[in-house]
Amino acid sequence: ITIFYNKNWPNHSANGAFLVAKNGQIIFEKYEGRANFSKENCINSNTPLHIASVTKVITATAILKLVNAGRLELDQRVNTVLNEFPFPDITVRMLLNHRSGLRNYAYFTDRNEKVWNRRNILTNQDILTLLATKNIGLESIPDTRFAYCNTNYAMLALIIEKITKMSYKNAMNEMIFKPLNMKNTFVFDYEKDKDRIVPSYKANGVEIGKDFLDAVYGDKNIYSTVRDLLKFDRARNRPGFLEPDL
């Protein structure tokens, strides 16, 4: 592993966190680089970093926890939970499996100001309302093909909120982060956290700025550490966390 690491990031060129575990036990761990290039503070084992679409795995697990608890069914129609949702044939399972046929919200909100003014911050609820009112339409017939789409997981986050009667942030805390002692993991709150989180950078070290899509959650916007993700991975392999058949 050391040879692999040094080959890919020679001369301490990495900027991030790297962990390898075998049978749940850490066998290699490395932290390098800066959490903020302007402040020059270093990344360490407690530095939460944006895990981007790995967030989807955690959102999916929360949905499965609700299925496990009998509060939701995998083949339940989405519009039985989200009344505004305009596509009656789409089920929870199709959202999870990227087989819903929904269009990606990043594409139907960035080209036509009659659909969305990009000077306004987009929310999950806004996406649902746009689907219901702007004749967005589907990209394909539900459950006919796979197409990776962030909209699926933005809708799953709203389902979590509807079923639990909590914000996505609080639901994830109560269902996953606190029980698993993921103490350095949180859901990004755009207004509260935008100036305190570890920024994302391009390869040349230029910070990636915020835009109108950055408040949407469920598909992204969980910040975590590799050690916390290991706790999550261990839990997913325990029969007491989710039913093995599920």
Side-chain angles (χ1 to χ4, degrees):
I1 297 170
T2 302
I3 294 170
F4 170 85
Y5 185 91
N6 291 334
K7 180 181 177 181
N8 283 276
W9 298 282
N11 304 316
H12 305 286
S13 59
N15 199 85
F18 187 95
L19 183 151
V20 179
K22 184 176 182 179
N23 299 326
Q25 300 303 310
I26 297 171
I27 59 174
F28 184 88
E29 191 173 13
K30 190 90 168 175
Y31 302 91
E32 290 192 302
R34 290 172 287 176
N36 189 304
F37 285 17
S38 60
K39 297 178 182 177
E40 298 192 358
N41 49 329
C42 293
I43 292 171
N44 60 48
S45 62
N46 296 315
T47 306
L49 303 174
H50 187 201
I51 63 170
S53 284
V54 177
T55 295
K56 292 182 176 72
V57 183
I58 304 179
T59 298
T61 301
I63 288 287
L64 293 181
K65 292 283 283 182
L66 294 173
V67 172
N68 217 152
R71 302 176 69 183
L72 186 67
E73 295 179 10
L74 274 178
D75 293 312
Q76 188 168 339
R77 295 180 187 276
V78 174
N79 66 0
T80 65
V81 184
L82 306 176
N83 295 334
E84 281 181 80
F85 191 76
F87 307 110
D89 294 331
I90 295 176
T91 66
V92 172
R93 189 192 299 266
M94 291 176 204
L95 297 181
L96 288 167
N97 291 346
H98 293 291
R99 292 181 61 85
S100 68
L102 288 173
R103 296 183 183 277
N104 194 320
Y105 67 79
Y107 302 147
F108 66 69
T109 57
D110 74 342
R111 296 168 187 172
N112 185 348
E113 287 221 345
K114 291 181 180 179
V115 174
W116 188 256
N117 183 338
R118 287 183 293 171
R119 289 182 290 274
N120 298 326
I121 300 298
L122 187 73
T123 69
N124 292 54
Q125 179 58 49
D126 290 329
I127 295 169
L128 177 57
T129 301
L130 292 176
L131 289 173
T133 62
K134 295 294 184 177
N135 195 30
I136 301 299
L138 293 172
E139 198 166 81
S140 60
I141 296 169
D143 206 25
T144 58
R145 69 183 184 92
F146 171 90
Y148 186 94
C149 177
N150 288 338
T151 309
N152 292 319
Y153 277 75
M155 294 301 99
L156 287 168
L158 290 179
I159 289 173
I160 290 168
E161 292 184 327
K162 190 78 170 183
I163 298 292
T164 64
K165 296 182 171 56
M166 289 187 279
S167 67
Y168 174 80
K169 182 174 186 174
N170 289 343
M172 300 307 278
N173 280 336
E174 296 302 316
M175 296 172 66
I176 295 178
F177 304 156
K178 286 182 182 178
L180 301 183
N181 194 31
M182 296 170 69
K183 62 182 186 299
N184 291 310
T185 301
F186 63 91
V187 175
F188 172 73
D189 182 308
Y190 185 84
E191 291 302 327
K192 294 178 182 177
D193 299 328
K194 62 183 176 181
D195 296 322
R196 76 175 185 90
I197 46 93
V198 174
S200 296
Y201 294 91
K202 297 179 182 178
N204 60 3
V206 175
E207 183 175 335
I208 299 172
K210 304 290 185 298
D211 67 22
F212 74 102
L213 300 172
D214 281 328
V216 179
Y217 48 81
D219 58 330
K220 61 182 185 303
N221 271 342
I222 286 178
Y223 281 68
S224 190
T225 66
V226 285
R227 287 187 179 183
D228 276 2
L229 291 175
L230 178 58
K231 293 175 183 177
F232 173 72
D233 184 62
R234 286 169 173 162
R236 279 173 56 92
N237 289 294
R238 287 203 307 265
F241 186 68
L242 281 174
E243 289 180 4
D245 287 348
L246 185 60

